[in-house]
């Protein structure tokens, strides 16, 4: 093989690896973007988000975030009912 062809092949491999890494990172970000954190931080984050929803400061990702909070046990169904959001 010529050196030019080897360089081209190496460049193509690097581009494929970089593209795969980018797609993997995007998939990871989409999967965990709305997941609440763990522990006391999660409880506080869920309570703050619920308070904002009660004050009518709605954002597009409120429903999945609060659903994760409910499933994680950080808020209760009655908390959602008080905010006017029933699952």
């Amino acid at each position: 093989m010529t050196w030019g062809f080897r360089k081209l092949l190496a460049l193509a491999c690097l581009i494929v690896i970089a593209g795969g890494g980018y797609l993997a990172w995007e998939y990871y970000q989409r999967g965990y973007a709305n997941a609440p954190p763990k522990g006391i931080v999660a409880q506080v984050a869920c309570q703050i988000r619920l308070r904002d929803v009660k004050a009518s400061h709605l954002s597009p990702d409120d429903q999945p975030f609060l659903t994760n909070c409910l499933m994680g046990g950080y808020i209760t169904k009655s908390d959602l009912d008080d905010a006017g959001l029933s699952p």
Side-chain angles (χ1 to χ4, degrees), residues 58-72:
L58 301 173
S59 66
D61 63 337
D62 282 334
Q63 182 179 2
F65 187 87
L66 290 175
T67 300
N68 288 335
C69 290
L70 180 65
M71 299 306 273

Side-chain angles (χ1 to χ4, degrees), residues 2-53:
T2 64
W3 284 103
F5 183 68
R6 287 183 183 177
K7 287 180 183 178
L8 183 62
L9 185 60
L11 180 64
C13 289
L14 288 175
I15 290 172
V16 168
I17 291 170
Y22 175 77
L23 290 176
W25 181 252
E26 287 296 317
Y27 178 76
Y28 172 79
Q29 289 294 339
R30 273 184 278 150
Y32 294 100
N34 290 323
K38 305 285 186 240
I40 190 71
V41 175
Q43 187 173 4
V44 171
C46 290
Q47 293 297 328
I48 289 173
R49 181 72 67 101
L50 191 63
R51 184 196 65 200
D52 289 345
V53 168

